[in-house]
Amino acid sequence: MTDFNDTTDHEAKADLIEIAAYRYKEGLLTRRGFVAAMMALGALPALSGKAMAQAKEIVVVNWGGEASEVLQKVMADTYTAETGIPVIVDGSGPSGGKIRAMVESGAVVWDLCDSGMGTAIILEQQGVIQPINYDIVKRSDVLEQAAYKSAVGNYVYSYVLATNPKMLGGNVPQTWEDVWNVKDFPGMRTFRKSVRGMLESATMAQGVPMEEVYQVLDTEDGIDAAIDKFRQIRDHIIVWGSGSDSQNLFLQEEVSIGNIWSTRAHLLKDQMDEESFSASFDGGVLAPGMWVVPNNNPAGSDEVMKFIAHTQKPELQVQWLELIGSGPANPAAAPLVPEHLQKWNPTSPENMAKQIFYNDEWYGKNQVAAEEKYIDALIN
């Protein structure tokens, strides 16, 4: 049917579950939030099922953990307070396969799913999700780069340059070129074990302007050149597999530099002093989460579109940033972000100007082949 591969970053979404466990242990998460995480991990029965999808309620599915608690409190409960319509957050994880099977079997129990652009592209091609009704969901309430025919942005995270200035004697790398300069910026670096969000930094490290990154990567030579950059410094690399891996590598001072998720940087800023941790959005890669609506959702199309519009309210999006570190998808939220969090907001105008958007279409065509070369460069 299509040669496009699903590149939705489920690991990034599942990483929020680990964050929830950490926050509960530290007393920063309520018992309700912890229970939501356990449901997502399969330790407790999930909320999904026909009984949870009655006609006069909205069932929203995301990837569990603290994100479920925040979504329930900030987005769902406030919608219920305004409209009287119950909204239930199910953290069992809306994979593309589950959505397609649900629609094709005629037993749709979900109204709204927290997905990614890669999955949305495939589901749209398969004809199992609805077009976004932009008469209800205002295009002006979402970043231009996150408004598609059948998917619309809900939050944004980013791949950022993180450093430990203390380990570097205060000599902090300013660019990805600096990151590859192991002479002037000694110490171990950490990159993700997956090629996602990594090839872009290696391409910029060659002096390629960020707006030309995917144009360069569209050629075999461009991919090979980026892969070779990792081969050049592989003795200085420790890979991270999960978000907690990247966080621990900085906490244990095993690395002085890294390309990590901004949501983990959001946690590290509270765990390390300013002399020991900083992060820069220069040359970052923005990755939006996306809402998708299965065909024949029980609550009806108009009702779920109204809920999506509700979640785009700037003040609610700011709460989302404060509580979990994901950036607002509504550009109108940026001025409302508290001053102490502005530099940590992936979608502030200042930080947006320094970054590029993750290209799902490129990854759909090239990820599998590029991943093989990347792993080979790191281990051989």
Side-chain angles (χ1 to χ4, degrees):
M1 182 176 293
T2 176
D3 60 355
F4 189 90
N5 296 303
D6 184 356
T7 64
T8 297
D9 201 337
H10 300 302
E11 291 179 6
K13 295 176 180 295
D15 188 55
L16 295 177
I17 296 173
E18 288 195 22
I19 292 175
Y22 161 76
R23 294 232 165 181
Y24 180 70
K25 182 179 179 181
E26 297 296 315
L28 301 173
L29 183 64
T30 65
R31 183 178 180 277
R32 182 179 178 183
F34 181 69
V35 170
M38 292 303 98
M39 287 193 298
L41 292 169
L44 293 173
L47 292 176
S48 58
K50 289 185 177 180
M52 302 305 295
Q54 302 303 314
K56 293 185 179 180
E57 66 186 16
I58 297 173
V59 176
V60 183
V61 187
N62 77 341
W63 299 86
E66 187 175 7
S68 285
E69 182 191 16
V70 173
L71 184 57
Q72 183 71 56
K73 176 183 177 182
V74 176
M75 308 297 187
D77 292 349
T78 53
Y79 189 74
T80 301
E82 286 187 9
T83 66
I85 298 173
V87 181
I88 297 168
V89 177
D90 175 348
S92 59
S95 69
K98 287 182 181 179
I99 296 172
R100 180 182 180 183
M102 191 175 288
V103 172
E104 292 184 342
S105 67
V108 179
V109 297
W110 293 338
D111 292 296
L112 183 63
C113 305
D114 176 17
S115 189
M117 199 57 227
T119 298
I121 291 172
I122 292 175
L123 293 176
E124 181 180 274
Q125 292 173 340
Q126 295 171 339
V128 298
I129 56 175
Q130 304 178 29
I132 300 299
N133 185 342
Y134 286 107
D135 290 333
I136 299 175
V137 181
K138 294 181 180 178
R139 282 186 180 272
S140 59
D141 284 351
V142 66
L143 294 167
E144 178 184 354
Q145 299 90 338
Y148 291 83
K149 178 183 176 183
S150 301
V152 63
N154 49 12
Y155 57 83
V156 182
Y157 61 96
S158 183
Y159 293 86
V160 298
L161 197 174
T163 56
N164 183 330
K166 185 178 178 181
M167 291 178 68
L168 294 167
N171 189 26
V172 177
Q174 303 297 316
T175 68
W176 291 115
E177 289 183 75
D178 291 341
V179 172
W180 263 262
N181 181 352
V182 296
K183 178 181 178 182
D184 296 328
F185 303 95
M188 298 300 289
R189 285 93 165 107
T190 186
F191 295 96
R192 192 179 182 183
K193 71 177 181 181
S194 168
V195 75
R196 298 176 183 186
M198 302 296 112
L199 283 188
E200 294 88 339
S201 59
T203 303
M204 284 182 252
Q206 300 168 61
V208 175
M210 64 179 185
E211 61 270 15
E212 297 177 13
V213 163
Y214 287 111
Q215 181 181 340
V216 170
L217 289 174
D218 261 338
T219 67
E220 194 71 23
D221 287 345
I223 295 174
D224 290 343
I227 296 293
D228 188 58
K229 293 292 289 184
F230 292 99
R231 187 175 287 107
Q232 292 170 13
I233 61 167
R234 63 186 173 192
D235 291 339
H236 303 269
I237 293 175
I238 301 175
V239 296
W240 58 268
S242 66
S244 62
D245 287 346
S246 66
Q247 186 179 351
N248 288 331
L249 286 169
F250 274 97
L251 286 173
Q252 296 167 9
E253 297 190 338
E254 293 189 42
V255 300
S256 55
I257 304 171
N259 182 343
I260 67 174
W261 287 323
S262 60
T263 44
R264 286 291 168 175
H266 188 88
L267 291 177
L268 284 165
K269 72 175 173 43
D270 296 328
Q271 297 174 316
M272 302 175 73
D273 56 47
E274 287 189 30
E275 290 74 26
S276 299
F277 183 76
S278 67
S280 170
F281 287 92
D282 280 314
V285 180
L286 292 157
M290 307 296 287
W291 290 130
V292 298
V293 183
N295 287 346
N296 301 314
N297 67 295
S301 181
D302 283 358
E303 194 57 57
V304 77
M305 294 297 165
K306 292 176 184 176
F307 177 72
I308 292 175
H310 174 77
T311 68
Q312 307 290 17
K313 291 180 178 177
E315 63 273 20
L316 300 183
Q317 298 249 314
V318 171
Q319 290 184 47
W320 186 267
L321 171 68
E322 292 177 321
L323 292 171
I324 204 165
S326 297
N330 185 342
L336 305 181
V337 173
E339 184 175 354
H340 71 283
L341 287 179
Q342 287 179 4
K343 74 174 186 178
W344 300 97
N345 176 14
T347 56
S348 72
E350 295 78 11
N351 288 333
M352 286 274 291
K354 303 174 183 176
Q355 302 175 89
I356 58 174
F357 264 82
Y358 187 89
N359 189 327
D360 273 290
E361 292 188 357
W362 186 90
Y363 274 96
K365 296 174 183 175
N366 299 287
Q367 180 174 323
V368 174
E371 191 103 340
E372 291 178 359
K373 292 181 177 180
Y374 180 64
I375 298 301
D376 182 72
L378 292 176
I379 64 176
N380 290 316

